[in-house]
């Protein structure tokens, strides 16, 4: 099946040789103190609303996979799973966010975003997290506060 150009607008197309995804990225952040779960969960939920492209899953369309909106809600996992699981094992999401004690683990398919996009997302989550803890957060000039949108 050939996809017409207008059918693929706004969708990331995933082309693979064998139908499997092999390009994963994982980022681990070690904090000085244990993560406060309620503050992180609130920060994660608020931040996800500002990054709708991350709220997608894959759908087979002809010979390729395309991103489509995911009707499920992503969650913060509280475990030490330090390997990337297939999106079908993660409610279809192309990323996984977890905390365990003072470690944050963020895993994602590289096709979801380039490195810069992930760091923007993480920066918003961490900014919101520290605000939830009542800490004063000084924003960089190029940083958009999600409360101003």
């Amino acid at each position: 099946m050939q996809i017409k150009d207008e059918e693929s607008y706004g969708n990331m197309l995933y082309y693979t040789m064998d139908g499997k995804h092999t390009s994963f990225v994982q980022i681990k952040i070690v904090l000085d103190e244990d993560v406060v779960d309620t503050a992180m969960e609130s920060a994660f939920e608020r931040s996800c609303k500002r990054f709708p492209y991350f709220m997608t899953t894959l759908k087979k369309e002809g010979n390729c996979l395309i991103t489509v909106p995911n009707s499920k809600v992503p969650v913060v996992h509280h475990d030490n799973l330090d390997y990337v699981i297939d999106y079908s094992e993660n409610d279809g999401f192309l990323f996984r966010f977890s905390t365990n004690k003072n470690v944050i683990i963020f895993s994602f398919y590289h096709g979801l975003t380039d490195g810069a996009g992930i760091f923007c997302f993480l920066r918003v989550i961490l900014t919101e997290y520290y605000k939830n803890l009542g800490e004063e957060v000084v924003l960089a000039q190029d940083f958009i506060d999600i409360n101003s949108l």
Side-chain angles (χ1 to χ4, degrees):
M1 173 180 176
Q2 187 164 351
I3 297 176
K4 297 178 191 167
D5 285 344
E6 61 269 14
E7 292 175 338
S8 64
Y9 291 163
N11 293 318
M12 174 73 76
L13 302 178
Y14 290 80
Y15 295 95
T16 58
M17 296 293 285
D18 59 2
K20 295 188 185 238
H21 304 282
T22 56
S23 183
F24 302 96
V25 178
Q26 184 178 85
I27 299 168
K28 285 186 182 181
I29 301 169
V30 179
L31 304 178
D32 291 334
E33 67 285 333
D34 284 356
V35 172
V36 177
D37 292 340
T38 54
M40 184 60 77
E41 289 163 2
S42 173
F44 180 74
E45 179 183 341
R46 287 177 43 78
S47 300
C48 284
K49 292 177 183 175
R50 298 297 181 187
F51 290 83
Y53 188 74
F54 288 88
M55 305 308 114
T56 58
T57 189
L58 296 177
K59 175 184 168 190
K60 185 137 176 99
E61 182 108 3
N63 291 329
C64 61
L65 296 169
I66 62 169
T67 55
V68 294
N70 191 335
S71 61
K72 303 207 173 151
V73 176
V75 297
V76 176
H77 299 273
H78 302 288
D79 56 33
N80 60 353
L81 184 66
D82 65 352
Y83 59 90
V84 180
I85 62 173
D86 188 75
Y87 74 95
S88 63
E89 302 173 54
N90 191 36
D91 285 335
F93 288 101
L94 304 176
F95 70 94
R96 188 174 192 278
F97 188 85
S98 62
T99 64
N100 184 30
K101 298 181 181 171
N102 68 328
V103 178
I104 297 169
I105 302 171
F106 193 78
S107 306
F108 60 94
Y109 287 99
H110 186 265
L112 177 63
T113 181
D114 61 6
I118 286 299
F119 287 110
C120 290
F121 188 42
L122 285 172
R123 193 162 87 171
V124 168
I125 293 170
L126 290 173
T127 298
E128 287 300 304
Y129 171 70
Y130 282 108
K131 283 182 178 180
N132 287 344
L133 293 179
E135 303 218 9
E136 182 180 348
V137 178
V138 178
L139 301 176
Q141 287 183 342
D142 65 338
F143 189 79
I144 298 173
D145 185 356
I146 65 173
N147 296 311
S148 68
L149 300 175

